[in-house]
Amino acid sequence: MVQAAPFLLVVFLALGAHGLSVQKCNLTGHWKNDLGSNMTIFKVKEDGNFSGIYHTAVSDTTERIQTSPLRGSQHLPNQLNQPTFGFTVHWTFSDSITVFTGQCFVEENHEKEVLKTMWLLRKHADKRGNDWKATLVGYNEFTRLEKQ
Ligand code: BTN
C-alpha cells in the first residue's frame, strides 16, 4: 500500500489537472442543430432543472410550425464539467412529444461546445394497432449560436 502511494498520487494529479483544464460546458444559451432547428435554454437552476423554447426547422405534420416549450434537467457539472442532460419538447402545433438525451462536450481546443443528443419522437396513434409505427428515433448535434 505504501509502495502504491506515489503511483496513486501521480494518477490523482493527472486526473485533477485534466479536470481543471477542461472548460465548463454550459447549457444556458442559444443553440442550432444540424437540421437548422433553434433552441434557447434559459438559466439552469441550482438543482440542474431548466426550461426553454424550441423552434424546429422540420415537422412531420402539415401544421404551421410554432415555437414550443421545453423542460429538462442536467447533472450538475462534475469534475470533467461535461454534463449529461435530458429534456422534453411539448410541441404546441402537433400532438407529438419529443424527448432528447445527451451530453455537453467541449471540443479539444476548448473553444467550441457541442451537444451530442439522441431523441425519440412519439406521435399520436389513432388506435392501439398503430402503436408500432408511432415512435421515431434520431440523432442531433447542437452548436452554440454566437451572440449577434
Ligand atoms: C412534429 O413534427 O410533430 C413536431 C416537430 C418535431 C421535430 C423533430 S424533433 C426531432 C428532430 N429534431 C429537430 O430539431 N426537429 C425534429
Side-chain angles (χ1 to χ4, degrees):
M1 181 61 197
V2 176
Q3 284 162 343
F7 171 73
L8 290 175
L9 183 65
V10 169
V11 170
F12 177 78
L13 289 176
L15 287 176
H18 178 65
L20 289 174
S21 69
V22 175
Q23 182 196 315
K24 244 187 204 177
C25 200
N26 183 7
L27 289 186
T28 300
H30 305 291
W31 301 89
K32 191 178 194 106
N33 74 15
D34 49 296
L35 291 170
S37 301
N38 283 276
M39 134 175 115
T40 299
I41 294 181
F42 306 136
K43 190 173 167 9
V44 177
K45 295 188 185 149
E46 280 180 11
D47 59 4
N49 292 340
F50 58 84
S51 62
I53 49 175
Y54 200 108
H55 191 89
T56 181
V58 296
S59 172
D60 191 41
T61 72
T62 52
E63 300 300 315
R64 190 175 64 84
I65 291 173
Q66 289 173 24
T67 301
S68 299
L70 69 85
R71 279 188 179 278
S73 185
Q74 69 157 85
H75 269 287
L76 294 171
N78 57 17
Q79 196 185 18
L80 297 178
N81 294 321
Q82 301 191 108
T84 52
F85 60 85
F87 62 86
T88 302
V89 186
H90 179 138
W91 304 109
T92 51
F93 59 92
S94 88
D95 44 20
S96 302
I97 292 271
T98 304
V99 290
F100 287 81
T101 186
Q103 186 167 353
C104 188
F105 289 103
V106 183
E107 303 253 304
E108 295 279 306
N109 61 9
H110 296 199
E111 279 167 14
K112 224 178 106 192
E113 291 155 298
V114 59
L115 308 181
K116 302 266 194 181
T117 71
M118 287 198 70
W119 51 262
L120 291 173
L121 187 162
R122 174 66 197 208
K123 297 192 280 184
H124 179 263
D126 54 354
K127 56 182 181 190
R128 194 171 165 180
N130 286 337
D131 176 66
W132 66 271
K133 57 179 178 180
T135 307
L136 305 180
V137 60
Y139 175 84
N140 278 145
E141 197 169 303
F142 295 80
T143 50
R144 192 180 286 282
L145 275 176
E146 300 306 330
K147 286 180 194 129
Q148 291 136 356

